[in-house]
Amino acid sequence: MSKQHTSRTGGEIMANAESGATLRNEGATNLLPGHIQKNVVGVTGAPCTSPSLVKGLEREPGYNWQATKSSLKERFAFLFNNELLSDVKFVVGKGRQAQKIPAHKFVLATGSAVFDAMFNGGMATSSVEIDLPDVEPSAFLALLRFLYSDEVQIGPETVMTTLYTAKKYAVPALEAHCVDFLTKNLRADNAFMLLTQARLFDEPQLASLCFDTIDKNTVDAISAEGFTDIDIDTLCAVLERDTLSIRESRLFGAAVRWAEAECQRQQLPLTIENKMKVLGKAMSLIRFPLMTVEEFAAVNPKPRVEYIDRPRCCLRGRECSINRFQQVESRWGYSGTSDRVRFTVSRRISVVGFGLYGSIHGPTDYQVNIQILEYEKNQTVGQNDTGFSCDGTANVFRVMFKEPIEILANICYTACATLKGPDSHYGTKGFKKVVHELPSASKTCFYFFSSPGNNNGTSVEDGQIPEIIFYT
């Protein structure tokens, strides 16, 4: 009896062992994807453990891909834009450009509060296919790539649409990468385009950098194609600034160009009235009182309202000056003729004033008109009717223009000063070339030439206008 009992127990144990093995195999099989289960289950319905079939499993696409990825980042990156295990699809873009992109709700929800609300919130969607007609496929793929792998893939063609998508789905880290990319690629010729986008997307840091670039390179910025494409609010924001480095007449010309482009956009005839109409409030931001008489004479029609006369103080950094004489002498007279000298400079600068000699008879007040003319065109680029007081010493006394005057490299200009007052000191032993150099900046070279005609005796060697005050 004891033996029989032991034998039955052993049989039961063997049977149970076989049954357990079968159950374990079935459980393991059930964990495999459905299309693989079909290959594992034999004709009789019993699990098949044939070595040849196991080898067949290894040849299945996507089988055991996890073993080839050594990190979580690699495994998530493998699932990017991959149908494997995906549980949602996005139809991104419009019309023929639309693209179906697979994704995984869990990954998206962990990287974006917007996606989390979309899939898990109180108004969560149950749809497995979601339309995104307002998003570019390339930008959406850049967003998903970042969410799956932290990889940033943006370029000049996609950065703005990617920035829009990052803001739409509340992914500030990708948004910061886009802004950083734009900042590194910000130039005078694209500053207005980026400024418009920065204002549209509410990016104050980028907008500030755009304004700073426009302030420093106003002439180049308004000459770029993107300037005429800006909206009226951006135009007004620029015209309101006190820090633009440009003559008012040239700024007005740029505003007129913008008005012509806007008339074309609105399909309006290019009449003066229509240009004034589209400029609207921007017209009152042009500072006509800062123009010379000659510049204002070219304005048509003439403004009928009060305009700002505050100078645009565009200057940054350190004020510089050069003196072209080595020695000072006494008795230089005035009879209404202008003292003049021609000059060129090796780089673009902004001249803000002259240094002039004062009276040899003690403290005195002078009336003076200072001008700078572009020599070849005989055109005034800046002037001021003003005065100055001197103390009777041989010092140089500052006489300033109302606004900075842009001086372009290698263009010949004439510096003029017409003084009314008693005899003054004057300079001698003049330099033909004066070099100004700062430790942290490149050299600025001035070259002086005598001006033809009656210059009240001033020349390269002797006379008035010893000093030019400027910013680089």
Side-chain angles (χ1 to χ4, degrees), residues 27 66-67 87 170 181 220 227 273 310 339 379 382 469:
Q66 297 90 338
D87 53 1
F181 180 89
D220 293 336
F227 170 73
E273 291 74 18
R310 184 174 65 256
D339 289 89
Q379 179 179 345
I469 307 167

PDB file of all heavy atoms in Angstrom, residues 27 66-67 87 170 181 220 227 273 310 339 379 382 469:
ATOM      1  N   GLY A  27       1.182  30.969 -20.475  1.00  0.00           N
ATOM      2  CA  GLY A  27       1.261  32.336 -19.910  1.00  0.00           C
ATOM      3  C   GLY A  27       2.301  33.152 -20.629  1.00  0.00           C
ATOM      4  O   GLY A  27       2.096  34.316 -20.934  1.00  0.00           O
ATOM      5  N   GLN A  66      13.921  45.805 -27.349  1.00  0.00           N
ATOM      6  CA  GLN A  66      14.292  46.383 -26.065  1.00  0.00           C
ATOM      7  C   GLN A  66      15.723  46.008 -25.661  1.00  0.00           C
ATOM      8  O   GLN A  66      16.437  46.786 -25.027  1.00  0.00           O
ATOM      9  CB  GLN A  66      13.323  45.926 -24.974  1.00  0.00           C
ATOM     10  CG  GLN A  66      11.892  46.383 -25.190  1.00  0.00           C
ATOM     11  CD  GLN A  66      11.066  45.398 -26.007  1.00  0.00           C
ATOM     12  OE1 GLN A  66      11.627  44.580 -26.762  1.00  0.00           O
ATOM     13  NE2 GLN A  66       9.743  45.474 -25.870  1.00  0.00           N
ATOM     14  N   ALA A  67      16.141  44.788 -26.032  1.00  0.00           N
ATOM     15  CA  ALA A  67      17.465  44.314 -25.637  1.00  0.00           C
ATOM     16  C   ALA A  67      18.587  45.080 -26.318  1.00  0.00           C
ATOM     17  O   ALA A  67      19.730  45.062 -25.862  1.00  0.00           O
ATOM     18  CB  ALA A  67      17.601  42.819 -25.950  1.00  0.00           C
ATOM     19  N   ASP A  87      -0.756  54.379 -29.629  1.00  0.00           N
ATOM     20  CA  ASP A  87      -2.182  54.321 -29.297  1.00  0.00           C
ATOM     21  C   ASP A  87      -2.929  55.581 -29.719  1.00  0.00           C
ATOM     22  O   ASP A  87      -4.073  55.789 -29.326  1.00  0.00           O
ATOM     23  CB  ASP A  87      -2.374  54.073 -27.799  1.00  0.00           C
ATOM     24  CG  ASP A  87      -1.606  55.067 -26.940  1.00  0.00           C
ATOM     25  OD1 ASP A  87      -0.935  55.957 -27.513  1.00  0.00           O
ATOM     26  OD2 ASP A  87      -1.662  54.954 -25.705  1.00  0.00           O
ATOM     27  N   ALA A 170       2.682  73.982 -24.759  1.00  0.00           N
ATOM     28  CA  ALA A 170       3.271  74.292 -23.443  1.00  0.00           C
ATOM     29  C   ALA A 170       4.508  73.446 -23.160  1.00  0.00           C
ATOM     30  O   ALA A 170       4.565  72.705 -22.167  1.00  0.00           O
ATOM     31  CB  ALA A 170       2.226  74.114 -22.344  1.00  0.00           C
ATOM     32  N   PHE A 181      18.121  79.914 -30.586  1.00  0.00           N
ATOM     33  CA  PHE A 181      18.529  79.796 -31.992  1.00  0.00           C
ATOM     34  C   PHE A 181      18.319  81.119 -32.727  1.00  0.00           C
ATOM     35  O   PHE A 181      19.194  81.573 -33.485  1.00  0.00           O
ATOM     36  CB  PHE A 181      17.722  78.685 -32.670  1.00  0.00           C
ATOM     37  CG  PHE A 181      18.051  78.478 -34.122  1.00  0.00           C
ATOM     38  CD1 PHE A 181      19.053  77.601 -34.505  1.00  0.00           C
ATOM     39  CD2 PHE A 181      17.355  79.173 -35.118  1.00  0.00           C
ATOM     40  CE1 PHE A 181      19.355  77.422 -35.847  1.00  0.00           C
ATOM     41  CE2 PHE A 181      17.651  78.996 -36.458  1.00  0.00           C
ATOM     42  CZ  PHE A 181      18.651  78.109 -36.819  1.00  0.00           C
ATOM     43  N   ASP A 220      20.816  99.812 -41.944  1.00  0.00           N
ATOM     44  CA  ASP A 220      20.812  98.478 -42.558  1.00  0.00           C
ATOM     45  C   ASP A 220      19.482  97.775 -42.318  1.00  0.00           C
ATOM     46  O   ASP A 220      18.969  97.079 -43.203  1.00  0.00           O
ATOM     47  CB  ASP A 220      21.951  97.633 -41.987  1.00  0.00           C
ATOM     48  CG  ASP A 220      23.318  98.163 -42.395  1.00  0.00           C
ATOM     49  OD1 ASP A 220      23.399  98.854 -43.427  1.00  0.00           O
ATOM     50  OD2 ASP A 220      24.306  97.904 -41.673  1.00  0.00           O
ATOM     51  N   PHE A 227      11.540  94.838 -43.733  1.00  0.00           N
ATOM     52  CA  PHE A 227      11.002  96.045 -43.089  1.00  0.00           C
ATOM     53  C   PHE A 227       9.603  96.383 -43.585  1.00  0.00           C
ATOM     54  O   PHE A 227       8.719  96.725 -42.794  1.00  0.00           O
ATOM     55  CB  PHE A 227      11.939  97.232 -43.325  1.00  0.00           C
ATOM     56  CG  PHE A 227      11.348  98.552 -42.904  1.00  0.00           C
ATOM     57  CD1 PHE A 227      11.207  98.868 -41.563  1.00  0.00           C
ATOM     58  CD2 PHE A 227      10.897  99.460 -43.851  1.00  0.00           C
ATOM     59  CE1 PHE A 227      10.640 100.065 -41.174  1.00  0.00           C
ATOM     60  CE2 PHE A 227      10.339 100.665 -43.467  1.00  0.00           C
ATOM     61  CZ  PHE A 227      10.204 100.970 -42.128  1.00  0.00           C
ATOM     62  N   GLU A 273      -2.681 110.755 -50.339  1.00  0.00           N
ATOM     63  CA  GLU A 273      -3.742 110.640 -49.336  1.00  0.00           C
ATOM     64  C   GLU A 273      -3.829 109.220 -48.771  1.00  0.00           C
ATOM     65  O   GLU A 273      -3.990 109.023 -47.568  1.00  0.00           O
ATOM     66  CB  GLU A 273      -5.090 111.037 -49.954  1.00  0.00           C
ATOM     67  CG  GLU A 273      -5.226 112.510 -50.279  1.00  0.00           C
ATOM     68  CD  GLU A 273      -4.420 112.936 -51.504  1.00  0.00           C
ATOM     69  OE1 GLU A 273      -4.026 112.032 -52.296  1.00  0.00           O
ATOM     70  OE2 GLU A 273      -4.172 114.136 -51.659  1.00  0.00           O
ATOM     71  N   ARG A 310      11.997 115.920 -29.788  1.00  0.00           N
ATOM     72  CA  ARG A 310      13.032 115.350 -28.923  1.00  0.00           C
ATOM     73  C   ARG A 310      14.041 114.581 -29.767  1.00  0.00           C
ATOM     74  O   ARG A 310      13.667 113.710 -30.547  1.00  0.00           O
ATOM     75  CB  ARG A 310      12.386 114.415 -27.901  1.00  0.00           C
ATOM     76  CG  ARG A 310      13.339 113.839 -26.879  1.00  0.00           C
ATOM     77  CD  ARG A 310      12.602 113.049 -25.808  1.00  0.00           C
ATOM     78  NE  ARG A 310      11.943 111.858 -26.326  1.00  0.00           N
ATOM     79  CZ  ARG A 310      10.628 111.771 -26.524  1.00  0.00           C
ATOM     80  NH1 ARG A 310       9.830 112.789 -26.244  1.00  0.00           N
ATOM     81  NH2 ARG A 310      10.097 110.660 -26.989  1.00  0.00           N
ATOM     82  N   ASP A 339      34.454 128.904 -41.815  1.00  0.00           N
ATOM     83  CA  ASP A 339      35.678 128.085 -41.751  1.00  0.00           C
ATOM     84  C   ASP A 339      35.302 126.672 -42.162  1.00  0.00           C
ATOM     85  O   ASP A 339      34.348 126.091 -41.628  1.00  0.00           O
ATOM     86  CB  ASP A 339      36.237 128.095 -40.329  1.00  0.00           C
ATOM     87  CG  ASP A 339      36.829 129.435 -39.946  1.00  0.00           C
ATOM     88  OD1 ASP A 339      36.067 130.305 -39.430  1.00  0.00           O
ATOM     89  OD2 ASP A 339      38.031 129.614 -40.170  1.00  0.00           O
ATOM     90  N   GLN A 379      25.448 118.443 -50.248  1.00  0.00           N
ATOM     91  CA  GLN A 379      24.179 118.279 -49.522  1.00  0.00           C
ATOM     92  C   GLN A 379      24.430 118.318 -48.019  1.00  0.00           C
ATOM     93  O   GLN A 379      25.308 117.635 -47.502  1.00  0.00           O
ATOM     94  CB  GLN A 379      23.543 116.946 -49.907  1.00  0.00           C
ATOM     95  CG  GLN A 379      22.231 116.659 -49.204  1.00  0.00           C
ATOM     96  CD  GLN A 379      21.649 115.321 -49.648  1.00  0.00           C
ATOM     97  OE1 GLN A 379      22.062 114.751 -50.640  1.00  0.00           O
ATOM     98  NE2 GLN A 379      20.693 114.827 -48.887  1.00  0.00           N
ATOM     99  N   GLY A 382      23.655 117.599 -41.733  1.00  0.00           N
ATOM    100  CA  GLY A 382      23.351 117.992 -40.366  1.00  0.00           C
ATOM    101  C   GLY A 382      23.823 119.411 -40.097  1.00  0.00           C
ATOM    102  O   GLY A 382      24.839 119.852 -40.644  1.00  0.00           O
ATOM    103  N   ILE A 469      33.932 115.538 -32.392  1.00  0.00           N
ATOM    104  CA  ILE A 469      33.437 114.712 -31.289  1.00  0.00           C
ATOM    105  C   ILE A 469      32.498 113.670 -31.885  1.00  0.00           C
ATOM    106  O   ILE A 469      31.576 114.008 -32.654  1.00  0.00           O
ATOM    107  CB  ILE A 469      32.694 115.573 -30.260  1.00  0.00           C
ATOM    108  CG1 ILE A 469      33.584 116.746 -29.806  1.00  0.00           C
ATOM    109  CG2 ILE A 469      32.261 114.738 -29.061  1.00  0.00           C
ATOM    110  CD1 ILE A 469      32.826 117.818 -29.045  1.00  0.00           C
TER     111      ILE A 469
END
